[in-house]
Amino acid sequence: MKNITAKPIITLLCFTLVSTLPLSAQHKKDTTDATSSNSAIFLNAASDSKPREISLGLPTNTSSAVPIFEDGMPVTYYIYQMFPYKSWHGGVSARSTSTIGPMETAMRYGEINNYVDSYNKGGSETFKGSVSYVVGQWGQHKLDINVTGPIARGWGYSLSTYQNFDPGSNHTINPMLKDRHQFYKGVLSKDFLNGRGGMALTYQYVNFMNIQETYGPFVFVGDGSVKMYNGFDLGYDSYRPDIATFTFMDFKTGEMREMGIKEGNTDKTHHLTYTLDYDLGNGVHLDFRSRLRGGTSVRGAGSLSGIENVAESAGYTYRDGTPFSGYLQRRMILHFDAFDTSWMNNAEVQFSRGNHSLRIGADYHFTHGGTTSSSVNFAHSVEADPAIIARNGEIYSNFNSAGEYYDGFENKVAGYVYDEWKPFSKMSLTGFLRAEYLNIHGQSANNIGDDKSNTRYNGFNLTKGKITHFGENYLNGSFGLNVNYVIVGNLAFQADGIFTRVHSNIFNYGGFYDPSTDPTDTKFVRAGISYKNDWVNVVSQVNYINQSNYNTRSIFQHSLTRPVGDLPVGYNESLTLPVTYGIASLGWVTDAMLTPFKGFTLHLQYTLREPKYRNFEFTPTFSDGVTEEYDFSGNNVTNLHKMEIVVDPSYSYGAWRWWLSTRYISKTYINKTNSLFFKGRLETFGGIDYRLSSKCKVSLNVINILNQKGASGLISSADLVTDASGFKDYLMSGTFIRPFTIELGINLDF
């Protein structure tokens, strides 16, 4: 074990592993969500930087979905380009962290999903503090500090910082740190007299440097399993060449530019949030939230785009001119230079009338955002600590064939009403209605009509294309109904029906095709039973979700049949295209929380679903003029597993606590024809806590106890392949989950 100095740390501080311990998932007023109060719902096997995504059977990370709320507001306006996990950290600065379910997210944001929800600490009547420090065996250090205290006359303060230094388990040379996060937060709060509520003003600055480099080569055996390639150990060996900078063509000007790896993968954001909670009297309560946010996001990590076996005669060389032959890993860097300035507001009044609990709310959201994305390709050898490979003396090639550009505005005005009605003691009905007006306008570089001057190609930039303009007005909306009926005793029937409609947003104008203006409709229905007594709380439900006109951008690979510019025959061209299709999934979820005896808790969850494509047909044309036909309708969605089993036991005795979290994820399909797949895998976490005193706790936690590789990826060139025999012992590359890792932590409250 490297870089752990346990005794000095324990002597100085006491902390808990806040970011990776199973957190309490206390759900808000969404009665159909199973109570999973000790489920490790936020543990992410692939990343330490963001919470786990909880899939309902649809693809995650849609451009409009923001799966993290803070202080009652979305962390970011949209998920792209300013990813919400890059400007959010719960930790010791949060007074609560939980989840909100589909009914609430559909009403508040027009999206059906499970979201993380957290609230920041405000001032306190006396000075208080919390310190969390974590050190991991691969050299990671995480420091999380919060202090709160009084000022005068109900005024108080809260000051926080979170610092993360993480070289990763597969140590790279450039940069030495793959993750360097700096969070700074200050809260000025006021508690009103007579318990009428309070208000707070929160400022946060984040500098988030993150290199996505969880890549490596492996051999796909053909039966869903993988094996090591040429000694390369996934999770431990580095697959990033020793380069400190990269070169690209500026998409706007056509000038050649060079940028450092760290500079080219850093987000800088500022948040200013005002919150007001006020009791208006007569049972009426007002919540008001306003967030002003501005920031920039620069990203340039190289994504994988296929492995090719090249001959020496093809003209490939090492940087010193020595001829190269063998397996070549191609990568594409999509250098995003993005910005966003947004202002989000929400006001909500809550009151009761008879047996009705009512909420009436309004939103006004505004954003000015855009991105200039310059694409470039490079290649390196397929091995640990690979070497950069040049062709005809040039390291970088194929400039801006996948470049993107947009600069636009959105104005969103919405209103919603919510009613929880109890017509009699055994029955409650909950319903909501949301109506939203959306205006979008801005400029991009799209093809308009028969004018194809903005079609991307090697060397394209805006001096060779033209600026185009877009503008649309849309009506979006959502509604939902929940029924909860007590059959007998503690046995109840529950059912949900939710509908949402959203339209395209400015992000979708980044390519060279105008996006679809048809609405994306999502329908979600679930029904089942629940039972609760002193030691068991179980919910079992059947659910169905259907989404039409899902808009996204996909990267397709094609082997050129003729030379195109300086690209040779056989070159694997990557083409980014907008695609539109539907998805439907029928599933069954059973969630149980068992407490059979004192100190012991067992959370169990079983999920079974079958997500399938619908209306997925299109015919892209590549640079060599070849048009390929795609029809994936009826096939299983790639990278979405059908079955998931969760087992989370926890036992406390005296000052000790032991916990485990195990998730089994069934096979996932690699290609859209479903002829290739990865076998299922286990994700395992565990830990031991020891409370030295009421204010001091020591933790030892293990990530990926079974050291599963969790290899995943896609073989884009196999999307049309129905005969998998040609892919036995096939060399490919992809991603992996975090390897076996021990982390030692101490938490001190003072």
Side-chain angles (χ1 to χ4, degrees):
M1 189 183 304
K2 298 185 291 186
N3 299 318
I4 292 184
T5 54
K7 290 184 178 179
I9 296 170
I10 296 175
T11 304
L12 295 173
L13 296 172
C14 289
F15 77 70
T16 188
L17 182 51
V18 172
S19 62
T20 56
L21 282 176
L23 302 176
S24 176
Q26 298 172 355
H27 299 273
K28 289 208 168 186
K29 279 189 165 256
D30 192 346
T31 57
T32 64
D33 281 330
T35 302
S36 50
S37 61
N38 216 11
S39 67
I41 199 166
F42 299 110
L43 295 175
N44 190 327
S47 173
D48 180 56
S49 303
K50 53 186 176 181
R52 174 182 172 232
E53 295 167 345
I54 308 166
S55 175
L56 295 177
L58 298 177
T60 55
N61 289 346
T62 60
S63 59
S64 59
V66 179
I68 302 176
F69 273 50
E70 185 175 34
D71 288 332
M73 295 290 291
V75 172
T76 59
Y77 189 93
Y78 282 140
I79 196 168
Y80 294 123
Q81 299 293 327
M82 319 296 288
F83 289 90
Y85 71 90
K86 292 185 177 182
S87 57
W88 174 84
H89 175 73
V92 299
S93 66
R95 59 181 168 88
S96 67
T97 304
S98 59
T99 63
I100 52 179
M103 284 282 288
E104 183 78 11
T105 61
M107 181 184 73
R108 283 295 322 278
Y109 204 65
E111 294 276 348
I112 299 174
N113 216 321
N114 294 297
Y115 286 0
V116 173
D117 189 24
S118 66
Y119 286 84
N120 286 307
K121 291 178 179 176
S124 54
E125 294 181 355
T126 59
F127 177 78
K128 297 179 181 179
S130 296
V131 179
S132 168
Y133 179 62
V134 176
V135 61
Q137 75 183 89
W138 308 115
Q140 183 184 32
H141 296 265
K142 294 184 288 187
L143 178 64
D144 200 0
I145 302 174
N146 170 258
V147 294
T148 64
I151 298 177
R153 298 182 179 179
W155 291 92
Y157 67 87
S158 174
L159 300 173
S160 309
T161 184
Y162 171 69
Q163 304 290 325
N164 180 36
F165 307 81
D166 187 6
S169 60
N170 57 336
H171 291 255
T172 56
I173 300 174
N174 280 301
M176 292 184 64
L177 290 175
K178 291 197 328 185
D179 294 276
R180 175 67 180 102
H181 311 162
Q182 303 174 64
F183 287 73
Y184 304 94
K185 187 184 301 181
V187 181
L188 178 65
S189 64
K190 165 68 173 177
D191 290 333
F192 300 134
L193 296 176
N194 303 318
R196 298 292 293 270
M199 63 180 180
L201 185 66
T202 303
Y203 170 75
Q204 177 178 270
Y205 170 71
V206 178
N207 187 306
F208 191 106
M209 193 281 291
N210 175 250
I211 308 293
Q212 294 289 343
E213 193 50 49
T214 55
Y215 300 127
F218 47 85
V219 175
F220 178 71
V221 176
D223 60 354
S225 63
V226 301
K227 63 182 180 182
M228 188 179 293
Y229 168 72
N230 200 23
F232 190 99
D233 198 356
L234 283 175
Y236 302 99
D237 289 337
S238 172
Y239 202 45
R240 170 175 280 278
D242 180 14
I243 54 173
T245 62
F246 63 95
T247 301
F248 61 96
M249 176 187 289
D250 190 292
F251 188 81
K252 281 186 177 179
T253 66
E255 298 176 356
M256 301 303 296
R257 295 177 55 192
E258 185 176 58
M259 181 169 287
I261 297 296
K262 290 194 293 185
E263 178 189 359
N265 288 281
T266 298
D267 284 43
K268 298 179 180 180
T269 58
H270 300 266
H271 289 201
L272 185 64
T273 305
Y274 174 76
T275 62
L276 171 68
D277 303 308
Y278 192 70
D279 184 356
L280 298 173
N282 297 319
V284 181
H285 190 87
L286 170 68
D287 288 337
F288 176 72
R289 311 278 184 261
S290 182
R291 171 164 294 142
L292 182 64
R293 184 185 188 281
T296 59
S297 177
V298 182
R299 290 182 284 123
S303 59
L304 307 180
S305 57
I307 292 177
E308 184 180 352
N309 195 358
V310 300
E312 185 175 314
S313 59
Y316 292 94
T317 65
Y318 292 96
R319 278 192 280 190
D320 62 3
T322 303
F324 172 85
S325 63
Y327 285 110
L328 192 72
Q329 173 69 67
R330 298 195 184 278
R331 292 204 187 202
M332 181 181 73
I333 295 178
L334 195 56
H335 169 63
F336 292 92
D337 189 351
F339 71 93
D340 174 79
T341 301
S342 58
W343 185 34
M344 297 178 286
N345 301 271
N346 169 256
E348 183 178 287
V349 175
Q350 305 147 16
F351 57 96
S352 297
R353 291 293 181 268
N355 51 4
H356 292 266
S357 296
L358 298 163
R359 296 163 62 186
I360 301 175
D363 293 323
Y364 172 67
H365 291 189
F366 164 83
T367 188
H368 175 207
T371 184
T372 302
S373 303
S374 307
S375 68
V376 61
N377 289 67
F378 72 100
H380 59 74
S381 57
V382 181
E383 58 186 335
D385 301 316
I388 282 285
I389 303 299
R391 183 175 181 272
N392 298 328
E394 298 293 333
I395 294 175
Y396 298 99
S397 63
N398 203 17
F399 297 97
N400 290 339
S401 62
E404 301 180 355
Y405 171 75
Y406 69 91
D407 185 334
F409 298 82
E410 290 195 24
N411 285 277
K412 185 188 298 183
V413 180
Y416 60 88
V417 292
Y418 168 99
D419 182 16
E420 182 178 355
W421 176 41
K422 291 188 175 181
F424 49 91
S425 61
K426 288 190 174 185
M427 184 177 183
S428 66
L429 296 173
T430 302
F432 77 88
L433 175 66
R434 174 185 175 89
E436 175 185 288
Y437 165 75
L438 173 66
N439 166 263
I440 64 173
H441 61 278
Q443 61 184 30
S444 58
N446 297 153
N447 286 333
I448 304 296
D450 295 330
D451 185 352
K452 306 300 182 185
S453 58
N454 281 325
T455 300
R456 310 301 194 249
Y457 53 84
N458 181 25
F460 178 87
N461 59 79
L462 289 183
T463 66
K464 299 179 180 180
K466 61 175 62 175
I467 297 295
T468 58
H469 297 272
F470 61 87
E472 301 287 350
N473 294 284
Y474 297 116
L475 288 178
N476 296 327
S478 59
F479 58 86
L481 178 66
N482 165 254
V483 179
N484 190 17
Y485 178 76
V486 178
I487 300 172
V488 60
N490 296 323
L491 180 66
F493 168 78
Q494 299 178 341
D496 275 318
I498 307 172
F499 171 86
T500 64
R501 167 168 287 186
V502 297
H503 285 80
S504 185
N505 50 65
I506 58 175
F507 164 79
N508 289 320
Y509 285 86
F512 60 91
Y513 288 105
D514 273 343
S516 169
T517 58
D518 294 332
T520 297
D521 293 340
T522 305
K523 308 174 188 70
F524 180 56
V525 180
R526 60 183 176 182
I529 59 172
S530 66
Y531 180 79
K532 182 177 181 179
N533 61 24
D534 293 339
W535 68 276
V536 62
N537 186 352
V538 60
V539 175
S540 184
Q541 296 176 324
V542 175
N543 58 70
Y544 175 77
I545 192 163
N546 178 300
Q547 187 174 78
S548 65
N549 198 41
Y550 177 79
N551 288 283
T552 186
R553 272 179 250 159
S554 294
I555 298 176
F556 297 93
Q557 292 185 21
H558 167 71
S559 181
L560 295 180
T561 59
R562 63 177 179 83
V564 178
D566 63 347
L567 303 179
V569 173
Y571 182 86
N572 286 326
E573 179 186 30
S574 295
L575 185 63
T576 302
L577 294 173
V579 293
T580 302
Y581 52 84
I583 291 177
S585 179
L586 179 65
W588 173 43
V589 179
T590 297
D591 189 289
M593 181 66 66
L594 310 177
T595 53
F597 54 88
K598 182 179 179 181
F600 179 76
T601 301
L602 176 63
H603 170 241
L604 302 170
Q605 187 178 85
Y606 176 78
T607 302
L608 184 66
R609 59 170 178 254
E610 186 138 356
K612 291 184 177 293
Y613 292 119
R614 288 189 171 187
N615 304 317
F616 197 170
E617 303 174 13
F618 59 102
T619 55
T621 300
F622 296 91
S623 298
D624 56 1
V626 173
T627 297
E628 296 185 356
E629 295 184 2
Y630 291 76
D631 185 357
F632 304 125
S633 303
N635 292 351
N636 292 278
V637 179
T638 57
N639 277 341
L640 272 180
H641 51 275
K642 293 184 178 182
M643 183 173 66
E644 182 173 338
I645 300 173
V646 177
V647 181
D648 299 329
S650 172
Y651 178 66
S652 299
Y653 180 78
W656 293 90
R657 177 176 177 262
W658 297 265
W659 66 273
L660 287 172
S661 178
T662 302
R663 285 194 292 269
Y664 171 75
I665 295 173
S666 66
K667 72 177 182 181
T668 57
Y669 289 101
I670 298 175
N671 61 344
K672 295 183 178 67
T673 59
N674 297 166
S675 60
L676 304 175
F677 63 90
F678 284 115
K679 286 183 176 179
R681 70 167 189 261
L682 284 171
E683 296 178 355
T684 50
F685 306 81
I688 302 174
D689 305 336
Y690 180 70
R691 185 167 291 281
L692 297 174
S693 69
S694 61
K695 295 183 178 295
C696 182
K697 183 167 64 176
V698 181
S699 301
L700 178 68
N701 298 279
V702 182
I703 299 164
N704 197 356
I705 298 171
L706 300 179
N707 201 23
Q708 297 269 296
K709 296 299 183 183
S712 62
L714 299 175
I715 305 177
S716 298
S717 60
D719 267 339
L720 296 178
V721 171
T722 56
D723 182 6
S725 61
F727 289 86
K728 289 183 178 179
D729 294 325
Y730 180 84
L731 177 61
M732 64 177 292
S733 52
T735 61
F736 56 85
I737 62 176
R738 291 182 284 168
F740 177 87
T741 301
I742 296 176
E743 294 185 338
L744 178 66
I746 306 173
N747 188 332
L748 176 65
D749 296 324
F750 55 90

